[in-house]
Amino acid sequence: MPVTIREVASAAGVSVSTVSRAFTAPDQVQPKTRQRILDVAAKLGYAPNPAARSLRGVGTGTLGLIIPDIANPFFPPIVKAMQARARRLGHTVLVADSDEREADELETIAAVSKRVDGLVLWASTLSEARLLELAERMPLVVVNRHVPGIAEVHISLSAGIAQAVEHLRAYGHRRCVFVNASRAELSRGKSIHESFEALDLSLVELGPYEPRFETGVHAATLVAAHGATAVLAHNDLVALGVLHQMANLGVAVPGDVSVIGIDDTQLASVSTPGLTTIRIDPVEVATRATDLLIETIAGNARGDAPPPVEIGSRLIPRASTGPAPASSR
């Protein structure tokens, strides 16, 4: 069996992307590190295989990123961080927006795939069968989707959600609403329900809706009907819509209702009141996704597949959460 790039990386004590740079962009690797990699590669009998990469249409120096909604404030930092990481590794990034519609995503993939070495698909709406078919044709990384056999970056919200639910419980909340705004990302809703059940708290789910500001506006009008004293929104954008409509309805936040978002976008810290949210580090996600895609590109050329990457989360308490109304306890 031919020696893989991962074996070289392991023996040299560096990452796969560093080994890749040692051969493709040597000026970006410390001389001592590059020499160690070259020595290990020679000892193991490893050599880059440009022919195999060429047969797969690889070699544009461009990475593709398809996101569901570029207007969502969570994604610009992702794009910026991925571009920065890719630039350091000698690549550029082509970004496209799928608008969270399967037909648009398929059309975008068809247009972009001819111009990139590999793709990062964020919360793809495509079926597993379509994703597996695409992965056969080109290097692919999925974010917030799990498809066996495809490289993935999994954002684990378990810790952050558990902290959020305990936060609400400590404040005396017993009946909450979850505004679900995703049809594709099932793990988020599952983690939320499990965390509430573990602490014996009541949870009503609304949706699924579109993950937009307007969804929060609509959902806010339904919260009172369910007798809830707290709202956990699918993301910050939805949560900000809830805050906006609560103010219009004369509902005090957090006096009458507490609100929690997910993502910790820049808007969360400047909203009124400041939004309690579950933080996902966009720089870490973008950096790890970029590295994983480069590793997948290198691995595909040698019949290799990198392991999945998991990113954690944590609660950021702000002013939008507080004690439940005394009458509800």
Side-chain angles (χ1 to χ4, degrees):
M1 294 292 291
V3 177
T4 68
I5 192 172
R6 287 172 60 193
E7 290 173 311
V8 175
S10 177
V14 298
S15 67
V16 170
S17 57
T18 300
V19 175
S20 178
R21 290 198 305 275
F23 287 99
T24 61
D27 58 312
Q28 297 180 15
V29 181
Q30 291 291 333
K32 289 184 178 179
T33 301
R34 180 172 184 268
Q35 190 58 54
R36 183 169 77 253
I37 291 170
L38 295 178
D39 291 343
V40 169
K43 181 179 179 180
L44 296 179
Y46 169 82
N49 190 344
R53 292 168 63 90
S54 177
L55 286 173
R56 288 170 171 78
V58 176
T60 66
T62 302
L63 310 177
L65 170 63
I66 298 181
I67 55 179
D69 182 12
I70 203 167
N72 185 327
F74 177 68
F75 287 108
I78 293 285
V79 173
K80 188 176 181 64
M82 183 168 176
Q83 288 176 329
R85 182 64 171 179
R87 191 179 301 115
R88 285 187 58 195
L89 302 180
H91 300 267
T92 58
V93 178
L94 177 61
V95 182
D97 186 339
S98 70
D99 205 27
E100 295 192 280
R101 294 186 175 91
E102 183 177 359
D104 290 349
E105 187 174 347
L106 284 169
E107 184 178 331
T108 301
I109 289 171
V112 168
S113 60
K114 301 172 184 177
R115 303 163 59 186
V116 300
D117 295 344
L119 277 175
V120 173
L121 296 183
W122 196 292
S124 176
T125 60
L126 303 184
S127 67
E128 285 195 10
R130 285 190 181 275
L131 289 171
L132 287 168
E133 180 184 349
L134 178 60
E136 286 292 319
R137 303 202 310 265
M138 70 183 307
L140 182 66
V141 169
V142 292
V143 182
N144 278 1
R145 278 293 300 274
H146 173 67
V147 181
I150 298 180
E152 68 170 299
V153 175
H154 172 60
I155 299 175
S156 174
L157 290 171
S158 299
I161 289 172
Q163 291 167 10
V165 176
E166 180 58 46
H167 179 71
L168 293 175
R169 184 176 182 275
Y171 270 138
H173 296 277
R174 295 295 178 266
R175 188 168 180 81
C176 308
V177 162
F178 166 49
V179 184
N180 183 3
S182 175
R183 292 176 175 84
E185 194 182 332
L186 302 179
S187 62
R188 183 170 299 200
K190 181 180 178 182
S191 293
I192 289 170
H193 279 281
E194 289 176 348
S195 294
F196 274 89
E197 288 173 4
L199 293 179
D200 196 26
L201 300 184
S202 173
L203 181 68
V204 174
E205 180 174 331
L206 304 179
Y209 305 113
E210 298 292 323
R212 307 187 190 283
F213 180 88
E214 293 76 15
T215 287
V217 172
H218 170 71
T221 63
L222 303 177
V223 173
H226 289 284
T229 61
V231 178
L232 178 56
H234 172 82
N235 61 20
D236 285 355
L237 203 56
V238 173
L240 291 170
V242 173
L243 289 182
H244 174 80
Q245 187 64 4
M246 289 296 184
N248 289 340
L249 296 173
V251 177
V253 176
D256 298 319
V257 176
S258 289
V259 180
I260 299 178
I262 297 175
D263 288 342
D264 194 28
T265 59
Q266 188 174 17
L267 292 177
S269 62
V270 298
S271 66
T272 303
L275 179 64
T276 295
T277 185
I278 296 170
R279 176 166 175 75
I280 301 167
D281 186 344
V283 174
E284 182 182 7
V285 177
T287 299
R288 300 292 294 277
T290 304
D291 289 350
L292 185 59
L293 181 56
I294 292 173
E295 185 176 347
T296 303
I297 292 169
N300 276 17
R302 307 187 63 83
D304 206 5
V309 170
E310 183 166 306
I311 307 293
S313 61
R314 60 189 176 92
L315 182 70
I316 305 295
R318 295 193 179 96
S320 69
T321 49
S327 59
S328 69
R329 298 182 200 177

